[in-house]
mmCIF file of all heavy atoms in Angstrom:
data_model
loop_
_atom_site.group_PDB
_atom_site.id
_atom_site.type_symbol
_atom_site.label_atom_id
_atom_site.label_comp_id
_atom_site.label_asym_id
_atom_site.label_seq_id
_atom_site.Cartn_x
_atom_site.Cartn_y
_atom_site.Cartn_z
ATOM 1 N N ARG A 20 10.843 16.604 10.636
ATOM 2 C CA ARG A 20 11.750 16.998 9.544
ATOM 3 C C ARG A 20 12.575 18.217 9.961
ATOM 4 O O ARG A 20 13.790 18.283 9.647
ATOM 5 C CB ARG A 20 10.942 17.338 8.261
ATOM 6 C CG ARG A 20 10.507 16.136 7.469
ATOM 7 C CD ARG A 20 9.616 16.543 6.342
ATOM 8 N NE ARG A 20 9.840 15.755 5.180
ATOM 9 C CZ ARG A 20 9.068 15.772 4.083
ATOM 10 N NH1 ARG A 20 8.004 16.541 4.014
ATOM 11 N NH2 ARG A 20 9.348 14.975 3.031
ATOM 12 N N VAL A 43 21.441 11.112 10.297
ATOM 13 C CA VAL A 43 20.595 11.201 11.457
ATOM 14 C C VAL A 43 19.136 10.804 11.088
ATOM 15 O O VAL A 43 18.661 11.213 10.036
ATOM 16 C CB VAL A 43 20.575 12.631 12.064
ATOM 17 C CG1 VAL A 43 19.666 12.703 13.286
ATOM 18 C CG2 VAL A 43 21.961 13.083 12.407
ATOM 19 N N VAL A 60 11.990 9.756 9.752
ATOM 20 C CA VAL A 60 12.549 10.758 8.895
ATOM 21 C C VAL A 60 14.062 10.638 8.853
ATOM 22 O O VAL A 60 14.685 10.422 9.902
ATOM 23 C CB VAL A 60 12.192 12.201 9.414
ATOM 24 C CG1 VAL A 60 12.961 13.234 8.631
ATOM 25 C CG2 VAL A 60 10.697 12.406 9.255
ATOM 26 N N ASP A 69 25.466 21.041 3.283
ATOM 27 C CA ASP A 69 25.042 22.465 3.087
ATOM 28 C C ASP A 69 23.705 22.546 2.376
ATOM 29 O O ASP A 69 23.063 23.598 2.400
ATOM 30 C CB ASP A 69 26.127 23.157 2.228
ATOM 31 C CG ASP A 69 27.419 23.382 3.040
ATOM 32 O OD1 ASP A 69 27.368 23.355 4.269
ATOM 33 O OD2 ASP A 69 28.483 23.570 2.373
ATOM 34 N N LYS A 85 10.320 4.444 1.265
ATOM 35 C CA LYS A 85 9.941 5.872 1.165
ATOM 36 C C LYS A 85 8.461 5.993 0.835
ATOM 37 O O LYS A 85 7.942 5.285 -0.003
ATOM 38 C CB LYS A 85 10.782 6.516 0.063
ATOM 39 C CG LYS A 85 10.430 8.004 -0.107
ATOM 40 C CD LYS A 85 11.251 8.650 -1.257
ATOM 41 C CE LYS A 85 10.892 10.098 -1.469
ATOM 42 N NZ LYS A 85 11.633 10.688 -2.552
ATOM 43 N N THR A 90 8.764 15.044 -1.779
ATOM 44 C CA THR A 90 10.030 15.209 -2.389
ATOM 45 C C THR A 90 10.057 14.475 -3.768
ATOM 46 O O THR A 90 9.218 13.586 -4.017
ATOM 47 C CB THR A 90 11.171 14.601 -1.521
ATOM 48 O OG1 THR A 90 10.984 13.203 -1.386
ATOM 49 C CG2 THR A 90 11.184 15.240 -0.145
ATOM 50 N N PRO A 91 10.963 14.842 -4.649
ATOM 51 C CA PRO A 91 11.016 14.193 -5.943
ATOM 52 C C PRO A 91 11.302 12.681 -5.806
ATOM 53 O O PRO A 91 11.956 12.224 -4.843
ATOM 54 C CB PRO A 91 12.230 14.862 -6.649
ATOM 55 C CG PRO A 91 12.372 16.154 -5.952
ATOM 56 C CD PRO A 91 11.971 15.947 -4.518
ATOM 57 N N ASP A 92 10.760 11.904 -6.748
ATOM 58 C CA ASP A 92 10.963 10.449 -6.667
ATOM 59 C C ASP A 92 12.437 10.160 -6.749
ATOM 60 O O ASP A 92 12.881 9.075 -6.240
ATOM 61 C CB ASP A 92 10.210 9.773 -7.837
ATOM 62 C CG ASP A 92 8.741 9.835 -7.705
ATOM 63 O OD1 ASP A 92 8.215 10.081 -6.577
ATOM 64 O OD2 ASP A 92 8.022 9.625 -8.715
ATOM 65 N N ARG A 164 20.318 -5.549 12.270
ATOM 66 C CA ARG A 164 20.260 -6.746 13.128
ATOM 67 C C ARG A 164 21.422 -6.811 14.111
ATOM 68 O O ARG A 164 21.280 -7.118 15.301
ATOM 69 C CB ARG A 164 20.287 -8.019 12.260
ATOM 70 C CG ARG A 164 19.006 -8.224 11.491
ATOM 71 C CD ARG A 164 19.064 -9.452 10.591
ATOM 72 N NE ARG A 164 17.882 -9.632 9.851
ATOM 73 C CZ ARG A 164 16.766 -10.261 10.227
ATOM 74 N NH1 ARG A 164 16.756 -10.847 11.428
ATOM 75 N NH2 ARG A 164 15.723 -10.365 9.459
ATOM 76 N N LEU A 170 23.076 -4.160 21.235
ATOM 77 C CA LEU A 170 22.703 -3.173 22.198
ATOM 78 C C LEU A 170 21.464 -3.598 23.048
ATOM 79 O O LEU A 170 21.167 -2.955 24.056
ATOM 80 C CB LEU A 170 22.361 -1.847 21.515
ATOM 81 C CG LEU A 170 23.581 -1.103 20.922
ATOM 82 C CD1 LEU A 170 23.149 0.240 20.400
ATOM 83 C CD2 LEU A 170 24.719 -0.957 21.958
ATOM 84 N N HIS A 173 21.846 -3.775 26.778
ATOM 85 C CA HIS A 173 23.136 -3.135 27.083
ATOM 86 C C HIS A 173 22.881 -1.677 27.458
ATOM 87 O O HIS A 173 21.984 -1.043 26.946
ATOM 88 C CB HIS A 173 23.981 -3.239 25.860
ATOM 89 C CG HIS A 173 25.524 -3.095 26.158
ATOM 90 N ND1 HIS A 173 26.092 -1.977 26.561
ATOM 91 C CD2 HIS A 173 26.486 -4.009 26.027
ATOM 92 C CE1 HIS A 173 27.400 -2.180 26.767
ATOM 93 N NE2 HIS A 173 27.637 -3.453 26.468
ATOM 94 N N VAL A 205 35.439 9.840 23.705
ATOM 95 C CA VAL A 205 36.060 8.820 24.526
ATOM 96 C C VAL A 205 36.986 7.929 23.717
ATOM 97 O O VAL A 205 38.013 7.476 24.199
ATOM 98 C CB VAL A 205 35.046 8.030 25.351
ATOM 99 C CG1 VAL A 205 34.196 8.938 26.257
ATOM 100 C CG2 VAL A 205 34.129 7.157 24.443
#
Side-chain angles (χ1 to χ4, degrees):
R20 280 174 144 170
V43 177
V60 170
D69 291 338
K85 180 182 177 181
T90 63
D92 291 343
R164 290 178 182 273
L170 293 185
H173 204 291
V205 301

